[in-house]
Amino acid sequence: MANVTVDLSGFEDLLKKTQELQNNISSLNEEITDNLAQHYLAEAIANTPVGAIAISPDGKYRSESEHMRRSWEAERINDTTVKVQNSASYASYVNDGHRQRPGRFIPVLGKRLTKSFVKGLHMQEKAEAATRRASDKIMKNALDDYLSTWSK
């Protein structure tokens, strides 16, 4: 008979590390949701239109400022939820499109409206689609970063 000894201390270390992961899952969730929210914000801001500041002839009105682009914000609800929104009052009209009355004179533009419906730019949908495409990579990178601390 051969004398065989088996060292199971590696399994005990693995058990300790997995329990540690279970205890720190909320911080890992927060890191992942923060990264997802940052990616969403970057895409939404990049897709938000902006132009030069135009002042009407009488000097009262401004148009095409960066207000809507600067109005994107993220708010943490809990460790697995981040609310991303645009607080500009007209953001939903630019995103979804809107009706208008053809022939109406707009002083800021200095001309009359010609179309009855302006198509939306769908900034939110584009940002959501880009974040969904990148989500696997973002989650994998966060988990890999966390697991890299195990070998230390």
Side-chain angles (χ1 to χ4, degrees), residues 57 64 101 103-114:
E64 299 184 36
R101 197 173 330 127
R104 182 175 166 218
F105 181 75
I106 306 296
V108 174
L109 301 175
K111 54 186 172 181
R112 295 189 181 281
L113 300 176
T114 58

Side-chain angles (χ1 to χ4, degrees), residues 9-23:
S9 63
F11 285 112
E12 292 171 3
D13 291 341
L14 179 63
L15 181 61
K16 288 178 187 176
K17 299 266 186 187
T18 54
Q19 287 173 344
E20 181 182 322
L21 173 62
Q22 192 171 8
N23 294 339

Side-chain angles (χ1 to χ4, degrees), residues 2-3 12 24 32 38-39 49 60-61 64-66 68 81 99 104-105 111 136 139 141-142 144 148:
N3 188 10
E12 292 171 3
N24 294 330
I32 290 171
Q38 288 172 1
H39 190 272
K60 291 184 179 180
Y61 302 102
E64 299 184 36
S65 70
E66 290 188 14
M68 190 168 54
T81 308
R99 294 187 181 279
R104 182 175 166 218
F105 181 75
K111 54 186 172 181
D136 288 342
M139 289 187 276
N141 288 342
D144 287 347
S148 68

Side-chain angles (χ1 to χ4, degrees), residues 14-80:
L14 179 63
L15 181 61
K16 288 178 187 176
K17 299 266 186 187
T18 54
Q19 287 173 344
E20 181 182 322
L21 173 62
Q22 192 171 8
N23 294 339
N24 294 330
I25 197 74
S26 64
S27 65
L28 185 61
N29 284 340
E30 286 182 8
E31 180 182 346
I32 290 171
T33 53
D34 284 345
N35 292 341
L36 290 170
Q38 288 172 1
H39 190 272
Y40 185 100
L41 281 173
E43 288 293 328
I45 289 170
N47 288 314
T48 302
V50 66
I53 295 176
I55 300 175
S56 64
D58 60 0
K60 291 184 179 180
Y61 302 102
R62 291 174 33 160
S63 66
E64 299 184 36
S65 70
E66 290 188 14
H67 173 71
M68 190 168 54
R69 184 173 273 187
R70 286 183 270 123
S71 296
W72 286 103
E73 54 193 30
E75 174 189 356
R76 174 162 297 288
I77 305 299
N78 56 39
D79 63 338
T80 59

